[in-house]
Amino acid sequence: MQCNAMQCNANAAGAAELDLEYYLRALTTQNAPNYEGYVAFPPPRSIDAGVARKIVDIVDGAASIVVDAKAYEQESQRQLAALAAEVRRRSRLADSFSYEALENEYVFDAQLLARYVTLERQLPDLLKRAAFARQVAEGTLDIYRSGPADEKVRHAACFSHFSSLVWLMQWNSIGCLAPQIADQPDCVVAGLSKARSLLERMRKLGVFESYKLTGGDSCGKGGCSDAQLQEDWDDGFPASLQLTTIRPFTITSIVAMSNTNSRFHPDLVAGPLVSYLGRLGFDAQAEEYVMDSQYRPNVNEYRPDELFVEIQLRPPER
């Protein structure tokens, strides 16, 4: 079962209510038996709490640039409290469930959902939303890439210098890019190698359970090899990529926000990857889809667990 991440709930009556119910059960039941015909959610994955906290701080910092910081904080806390109250009403966990335990993927998801719902209401300007999303993607990418001293991003400090929307929208022109490879021989092969290294680091941090990055299906079943993509690129054609991630954190909040059809949600997979490819010198664009890996004849049992991303790479404009 597959649907566009921004459209999957648009035609289903009462889908938003179902999303809430599934989300609450994901937060509270932690793989309890499948009562009342509902799908049992798997236990929460443990993610890196330090990384989760840094991402929350990135989101809050980016929000403070585009909306009133105090109003944003108050409304975000109100949204989280409302969700917590609903969880307490429907579950046996009551007040014992901690919404500060960010190492729990469902807690992290709840924290981001509250913030993005708030921003969706306080930030109607689509250009400012796009600018906000880009700053979150860039900041999150730097978090994913940080590691031992010899692996840290050399220009990560540039991110902290953002002080206005103008600077935010000019990221690619202020000299904070990693060395570009898009003009080098075998650049697609080299770029995909670097992209897979980034994805592996993301997996180890708990961003998703597993992943697969392949070429598009224009070459037949199994997708194009890196060499075939390079040949197409050398002939002047764009390179098409397909990324499948299993159980990425925030997939539930992506689905929960898709009923608004606003293309605005916590994007911690496609956005950072596109930003990274941009730093390598590629013009990259992505489209996201959510999928349920298991066929379920009852639409009320729909539970997506995969995020599928289609990526187009083009040479940068000169």
Side-chain angles (χ1 to χ4, degrees), residues 65-253:
I65 295 175
V66 293
V67 297
D68 179 83
K70 184 176 181 180
Y72 161 79
E73 180 180 3
Q74 291 176 343
E75 179 61 17
S76 295
Q77 292 303 312
R78 191 190 72 79
Q79 290 287 340
L80 187 61
L83 177 59
E86 190 69 5
V87 169
R88 286 195 299 271
R89 186 178 73 82
R90 294 174 181 244
S91 76
R92 296 165 295 175
L93 298 180
D95 293 321
S96 64
F97 194 83
S98 171
Y99 283 85
E100 297 301 321
L102 292 179
E103 67 275 8
N104 179 317
E105 66 169 322
Y106 296 140
V107 170
F108 179 55
D109 201 359
Q111 290 278 356
L112 288 183
L113 179 61
R115 285 165 166 79
Y116 275 76
V117 168
T118 297
L119 284 169
E120 188 176 43
R121 298 176 180 180
Q122 295 183 351
L123 190 61
D125 188 301
L126 297 183
L127 289 178
K128 290 185 177 181
R129 282 188 186 180
F132 164 84
R134 184 172 183 177
Q135 182 170 358
V136 171
E138 293 285 358
T140 303
L141 171 59
D142 286 340
I143 292 172
Y144 293 162
R145 294 190 68 200
S146 64
D150 60 338
E151 298 181 42
K152 289 186 178 180
V153 181
R154 287 181 293 174
H155 300 295
C158 289
F159 178 78
S160 64
H161 294 166
F162 283 108
S163 60
S164 71
L165 195 60
V166 174
W167 278 101
L168 173 60
M169 300 182 73
Q170 293 180 340
W171 173 268
N172 284 326
S173 64
I174 61 176
C176 296
L177 300 181
Q180 297 189 347
I181 66 170
D183 293 325
Q184 300 176 11
D186 296 328
C187 60
V188 172
V189 173
L192 289 178
S193 176
K194 289 180 176 293
R196 291 190 180 99
S197 295
L198 173 66
L199 290 168
E200 180 61 21
R201 181 182 292 277
M202 292 165 65
R203 184 193 66 80
K204 291 179 179 179
L205 292 174
V207 178
F208 37 69
E209 192 173 78
S210 61
Y211 70 93
K212 182 179 181 181
L213 179 66
T214 63
D217 55 10
S218 61
C219 302
K221 187 176 181 180
C224 298
S225 67
D226 293 3
Q228 288 172 314
L229 291 174
Q230 184 66 59
E231 290 178 3
D232 288 344
W233 182 271
D234 292 340
D235 290 336
F237 296 100
S240 297
L241 310 176
Q242 296 179 344
L243 171 65
T244 301
T245 63
I246 306 299
R247 289 191 66 187
F249 55 34
T250 77
I251 190 171
T252 309
S253 56

Side-chain angles (χ1 to χ4, degrees), residues 272-310:
L273 180 58
V274 166
S275 292
Y276 183 58
L277 292 169
R279 293 188 188 186
L280 297 179
F282 296 101
D283 177 9
Q285 296 181 340
E287 184 73 22
E288 299 170 287
Y289 301 84
V290 290
M291 302 174 63
D292 190 339
S293 59
Q294 178 178 339
Y295 172 72
R296 307 180 196 276
N298 183 353
V299 68
N300 292 330
E301 294 185 352
Y302 174 62
R303 179 174 64 79
D305 57 358
E306 296 183 11
L307 181 67
F308 181 76
V309 185
E310 291 185 326

Side-chain angles (χ1 to χ4, degrees), residues 49-72:
V51 168
R53 171 51 60 190
K54 289 178 182 178
I55 292 175
V56 169
D57 290 343
I58 288 289
V59 171
D60 289 344
S64 68
I65 295 175
V66 293
V67 297
D68 179 83
K70 184 176 181 180
Y72 161 79

